[in-house]
């Protein structure tokens, strides 16, 4: 995630305690930094590190998933409020505007401190900083795909025939699990995932078309 080459990665294991390779956006390359040892006391706001202070990654993961699902639920509620017209299409492009991302933005510090995959953290930051509209939707699509480990779920469905069985195999294989969400929510979530897969691999375009037919046939409920 920091753009290190293989030789630099091997050197990481040889660094002294308190030395780290540090990188942030717009830097040309990572730099080595020596961090002074902190002499904590039990007075004031400082205290020694405790295991209890560690981020509960499972809890953060569930919170992030719940936020993604909440965005989907808002989309479903709004879709029911407007006619199936051009206005509906225009409105759907604004479903994830910044004003609706307050909750998911509140998770920022917890997600950064967790041990979620670096790509998930990056896509999360891209999403909360994106301008409202279609760009934010693109980032949410990527975030849902990688956060739910859709690649692995799709691999599990490689030998499955029939779009209905394929779809069920995929959503049941997502991690964290989405099995306790309703059919409407699953429908939109799968739309994000299958659309992202088709963008990454054009061979899945036909599956995306088949999924759209299934989605329409079932009235938007899986």
């Amino acid at each position: 995630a920091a753009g290190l080459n293989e030789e630099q990665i091997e050197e990481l294991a040889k660094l002294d305690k308190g030395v780290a390779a540090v990188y942030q956006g717009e830097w040309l390359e990572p730099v080595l930094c020596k961090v002074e040892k902190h002499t904590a006391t039990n007075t004031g706001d400082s205290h020694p590190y405790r295991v209890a202070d560690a981020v509960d990654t499972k809890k953060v993961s569930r919170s992030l998933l719940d936020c993604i699902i909440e965005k989907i639920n808002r989309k479903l509620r709004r879709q029911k409020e407007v006619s199936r017209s051009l206005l509906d299409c225009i409105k759907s492009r604004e479903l994830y505007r910044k004003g609706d991302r307050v909750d998911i933005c509140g998770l920022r510090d917890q997600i950064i401190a967790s041990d979620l995959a670096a790509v998930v953290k990056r896509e999360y930051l891209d999403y909360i900083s994106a301008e409202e509209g279609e760009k934010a939707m693109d980032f949410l699509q990527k975030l849902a795909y990688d956060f739910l480990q859709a690649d692995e779920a799709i691999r599990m469905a490689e030998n499955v025939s029939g779009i209905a069985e394929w779809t069920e195999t995929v959503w049941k294989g997502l991690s964290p699990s989405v099995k306790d969400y309703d059919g409407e929510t699953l429908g939109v979530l799968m739309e994000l995932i299958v659309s992202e897969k088709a963008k990454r691999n054009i061979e899945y375009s036909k599956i995306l078309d088949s999924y759209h037919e299934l989605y329409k046939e079932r009235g938007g409920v899986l």
Side-chain angles (χ1 to χ4, degrees):
L4 298 174
N5 58 40
E6 291 186 7
E7 184 177 342
Q8 290 172 320
I9 291 174
E10 291 178 359
E11 288 298 317
L12 290 178
K14 304 175 185 178
L15 297 179
D16 293 335
K17 184 182 295 184
V19 178
V22 179
Y23 175 78
Q24 71 174 13
E26 299 182 0
W27 284 12
L28 294 178
E29 60 183 12
V31 297
L32 283 178
C33 293
K34 171 71 173 179
V35 181
E36 296 296 332
K37 183 178 180 180
H38 176 56
T39 55
T41 65
N42 288 319
T43 60
D45 295 330
S46 298
H47 59 79
Y49 178 83
R50 301 185 304 269
V51 174
D53 297 328
V55 172
D56 186 338
T57 300
K58 288 185 178 179
K59 185 175 181 180
V60 173
S61 294
R62 185 65 188 188
S63 296
L64 179 55
L65 176 58
D66 285 342
C67 282
I68 292 175
I69 296 302
E70 174 59 21
K71 307 308 128 180
I72 290 173
N73 286 337
R74 288 180 183 179
K75 174 179 180 178
L76 292 171
R77 288 196 294 270
R78 294 186 184 190
Q79 283 179 335
K80 292 178 180 178
E81 294 171 358
V82 296
S83 63
R84 298 184 180 279
S85 63
L86 179 60
L87 177 61
D88 187 18
C89 295
I90 295 173
K91 192 175 182 63
S92 68
R93 291 175 178 271
E94 300 174 350
L95 290 175
Y96 297 90
R97 60 181 181 268
K98 279 188 175 179
D100 289 337
R101 299 206 293 273
V102 175
D103 293 338
I104 204 168
C105 289
L107 286 171
R108 181 180 181 277
D109 292 341
Q110 295 181 63
I111 289 174
I112 291 174
S114 75
D115 60 0
L116 290 172
V119 65
V120 172
K121 294 181 183 181
R122 186 189 69 237
E123 289 166 353
Y124 164 79
L125 293 173
D126 285 340
Y127 172 63
I128 64 174
S129 62
E131 294 298 325
E132 62 186 58
E134 190 170 344
K135 192 66 174 177
M137 280 292 293
D138 288 342
F139 285 130
L140 179 64
Q141 188 171 290
K142 293 178 182 177
L143 175 60
Y145 186 93
D146 289 319
F147 172 61
L148 293 169
Q149 301 177 53
D151 255 343
E152 180 60 30
I154 290 173
R155 275 195 292 271
M156 293 167 56
E158 283 182 351
N159 299 319
V160 174
S161 60
I163 187 61
E165 186 178 354
W166 183 90
T167 300
E168 183 176 0
T169 301
V170 171
W171 71 253
K172 285 186 176 180
L174 297 175
S175 180
S177 174
V178 297
K179 294 180 181 179
D180 57 343
Y181 291 106
D182 62 80
E184 282 187 306
T185 300
L186 288 174
V188 179
L189 187 59
M190 282 300 298
E191 165 71 20
L192 294 174
I193 288 172
V194 182
S195 295
E196 180 62 21
K197 183 62 178 180
K199 284 179 64 176
R200 299 185 184 194
N201 186 340
I202 196 171
E203 293 181 3
Y204 280 82
S205 297
K206 292 182 179 179
I207 290 181
L208 177 59
D209 292 339
S210 297
Y211 175 76
H212 284 156
E213 292 177 7
L214 176 68
Y215 186 72
K216 184 183 298 184
E217 177 183 313
R218 293 187 174 182
V221 179
L222 295 187

